[in-house]
Amino acid sequence: MKKILLFVLVVICLANCNSTKQALKIKSIKSEHDVTLFYSKKRKTITFISLPSEIIIENPSTKKKSFTDYWYIYGNKSKGNFISLYLIENEKLTKQSISKIKHIEGNSSKKYLITSKHFVDTTKFGRFFFKPYIEEMIRLKQDSLNVGTMSEFSKKQSKLIKWLTNNNDSIKIQPFKLKSGFEKEIRIPVKY
């Protein structure tokens, strides 16, 4: 009887040890959220384009896992600006702070929307290229304009989207343990 009890305890201990060492898993998926153009009154052209992408962060462990910082690594030469990260729950978006610790319970996952802010090379894509969008923003008296989903916008502006996204953009998150601090960063390519 003691051998069986000891065997059961060893199996439970090994199962718990394996489950706590599993890292967070991240998967990038296409988003159906809108592409947004940003107009600069000073330059009188579109200076940024925000491209949406979604990630699913899965915790295969039985214990709660956390992460803090997140980055969008721009592959194109023009780079970009800071991104925004939103938790998607029940079709609602909740903006996430870059410095706040975000938790994912054991054996669960969370879905996030990432909105990039790609710089637009105005020597390649100037005022005339964006003329219909600029006219619409001026008419509406606003400095940003949603122009449809990524697939819709890609059909209209395939050259621009190809130029912005063909250089291996990626997303990086920083896992965090309360007791031991930062862990190895996780980096994955972005899917549009």
Side-chain angles (χ1 to χ4, degrees), residues 31-174:
S31 176
E32 290 302 313
H33 287 85
D34 283 344
V35 172
T36 305
L37 305 179
F38 294 90
Y39 177 70
S40 168
K41 288 180 183 175
K42 182 180 176 183
R43 294 186 178 175
K44 296 182 180 175
T45 191
I46 303 297
T47 52
F48 291 104
I49 298 180
S50 179
L51 303 178
S53 180
E54 293 179 15
I55 58 172
I56 297 172
I57 302 179
E58 179 188 351
N59 179 4
S61 170
T62 56
K63 294 192 175 182
K64 179 168 58 175
K65 297 275 187 178
S66 305
F67 71 99
T68 54
D69 299 339
Y70 50 86
W71 299 271
Y72 188 99
I73 313 302
Y74 293 91
N76 69 5
K77 292 176 184 159
S78 293
K79 306 285 182 202
N81 213 340
F82 294 109
I83 63 166
S84 295
L85 180 74
Y86 301 88
L87 176 63
I88 303 172
E89 282 185 312
N90 303 321
E91 303 299 317
K92 287 179 72 178
L93 299 176
T94 307
K95 189 164 182 160
Q96 303 295 292
S97 166
I98 193 163
S99 59
K100 233 179 188 179
I101 298 173
K102 292 152 271 306
H103 304 285
I104 301 174
E105 295 300 324
N107 296 316
S108 67
S109 62
K110 289 188 177 180
K111 191 176 189 181
Y112 294 90
L113 169 68
I114 292 175
T115 56
S116 70
K117 217 161 184 193
H118 286 78
F119 287 130
V120 176
D121 183 345
T122 54
T123 62
K124 286 185 176 32
F125 307 98
R127 241 177 287 163
F128 299 110
F129 184 84
F130 292 111
K131 187 177 180 181
Y133 304 111
I134 293 170
E135 288 173 350
E136 181 73 6
M137 285 186 228
I138 290 170
R139 187 183 67 75
L140 295 171
K141 296 179 182 169
Q142 57 190 38
D143 63 357
S144 64
L145 182 68
N146 292 342
V147 291
T149 66
M150 189 67 168
S151 57
E152 293 167 348
F153 190 64
S154 292
K155 288 176 187 172
K156 296 176 192 170
Q157 303 294 347
S158 60
K159 182 180 173 185
L160 172 65
I161 294 299
K162 187 179 266 188
W163 184 82
L164 290 173
T165 63
N166 73 349
N167 292 303
N168 302 322
D169 290 6
S170 58
I171 298 164
K172 186 167 62 168
I173 69 161
Q174 179 68 66

